[in-house]
Amino acid sequence: MRQLKQLFKLIFLIGICAVLTGCTEEKGSVTTQIKKDTNTAVAIRIDGREVSLQELDHSLQLDLYDIEEQRYELRLRKIYALIDKEKKLSYDDKKIEVFLKPPSPPRVSIPFDQKNIRGNPEAPVSLAVFCSFQSPHCKAIQPVLHRLLSTYQGWVSHSYFDFPLKFHREGMNAGMAARCAAEQGMFWQYHDALYVLTPEINVDSYSQLVRQLNLDAKKFEMCLSNETPKEAMLSDRDRALSLGLKNVPVIFINGLYLKGPREFEQYAYWIEEELRSMGIDPKEKYVWRENDNIDDRGLPVTSLPLTLLGISESSIDNRSRVLIEVEEAAAEYYTTGQSLLENVSLLRIHSNFVVIENGLGLEKLPLKGEEQDIIPLTYSRQHDKELRQRIEMPQGDKGKKLIEPDGVLTLGQEWLAKQLEQRELLEAKFTQAELEVEGHHLMRLEGVADNEFFTALGFEENDVLLRVNDSWVHSGQNELWNALASGKIIDVAFMRKGLPHRLQYVVEELGYFEEE
């Protein structure tokens, strides 16, 4: 099964020819596509009104594609069986070429009116995601979506459509709560937190997240009490039903229908196909066109005592801000127009640098480090390159790379400070586990099922913490508290029921709902 999965990935990555056992890629393909039936034969006549076979098939295009994809997967399995048999019959290194292209999905028109958008609002490729906040399958694809936004940064945007299924008892309530968080500029933070809690969402979860994100509780409750979020939810649901959707997740890549959940490579294949169809090289870096197309990339790099540690981007006007160290003092957040030094102010914010204005003119302050973390682009922070290497490869270059984050949670600074007032009680929830590292026992969480702090951080009973950033967590040290107080992105790895997990946190100084 594992080999089949790898083969499946290879075919999606290469597209036409997946080359195994040392062969080189050659042209030629045998494609399997849904045939566009041009037959105008009458399928049914009702009181003189005729419905052609073509019209009938058009109304069933998603169902017919699902069937065609099943045929493709059956053929893929047969190919694997043939390869496996061939290898068993002979020890010779044989040249094996697989010519099989996945069927082309039908393209559906998806309106994006009044949608929250993550990533570049002007991206040439849009991901319209139909999901339910109580679906474990929708939860499972969140790291994949984050990775797609990071890998194709600038080229891809992500929009969310609510489609709670009948058996998702809290699906409708969760979607309404997320829409009310959106009124305070915190949709994606609330969205991410809900998926970390999934499937354990309950009536208490919504108020907990309001406190966690420092939202205005009165505004939130007032929003929930009116009909607007419910009407918007029903509009999304009706749209999904009109398209013929039955389950979640479903992702439309520029309208191309892909029922999930799927591997990263499958979504990436169609994203790259879309980019190529527009004459865009998928490996090409997106050039951001911001601030009335002002090109600031050629500005000289400033020599002033300033260090740009993080950039927090928002699709809401004037909501982006940056984390800057000034003259080696503690880092603080700044927005455009604010003064950094005497006669020095922050003029513009880009995706990986800022423009400052001083008496000498305009200069550029680049982001510290070279690589970005794989986290949602509404808020992108990063560790420096060396720290990230230690986090993701804890056993060095010869070890296994850490899994990608399950999600990114935003923690309000005011809420966090209040929770940490009980630090002694929180520390008492850590007990020694059986496993040891560096001569000390790893730490297990016990008695946290109803604890707001640990629930907000996405932990469950009996989770075993492994690492916080690049430090082990054990009976001799626990860097969780210092990391939460640092104001920088926090990376936590832990074990749950024998499986590794990873979460990231960002601590927000202010809620975005606050008045200017």
Side-chain angles (χ1 to χ4, degrees), residues 355-459:
V355 177
I356 60 175
E357 185 174 21
N358 59 32
L360 302 175
L362 302 183
E363 294 180 330
K364 178 171 65 176
L365 176 61
L367 190 63
K368 183 180 179 181
E370 298 177 6
E371 298 182 83
Q372 294 202 349
D373 285 285
I374 302 174
I375 64 175
L377 299 181
T378 304
Y379 292 90
S380 65
R381 310 269 178 80
Q382 63 179 26
H383 303 293
D384 61 57
K385 186 177 181 180
E386 292 77 14
L387 176 56
R388 182 179 176 185
Q389 177 74 8
R390 294 197 300 272
I391 290 172
E392 302 216 339
M393 303 288 289
Q395 297 178 332
D397 293 337
K398 296 182 179 180
K400 293 182 178 180
K401 186 175 181 180
L402 203 61
I403 62 170
E404 293 172 11
D406 296 334
V408 182
L409 288 174
T410 302
L411 308 176
Q413 192 178 71
E414 182 180 331
W415 173 88
L416 182 60
K418 187 175 181 179
Q419 293 294 317
L420 293 181
E421 290 175 2
Q422 319 173 68
R423 177 169 168 176
E424 290 185 6
L425 294 175
L426 297 175
E427 286 182 333
K429 303 294 184 182
F430 288 89
T431 61
Q432 291 188 8
E434 296 78 13
L435 297 175
E436 294 186 13
V437 65
E438 296 181 343
H440 297 273
H441 286 274
L442 293 175
M443 304 302 291
R444 183 191 309 278
L445 290 172
E446 293 185 1
V448 301
D450 298 320
N451 184 280
E452 181 174 327
F453 175 77
F454 289 107
T455 300
L457 266 61
F459 294 130

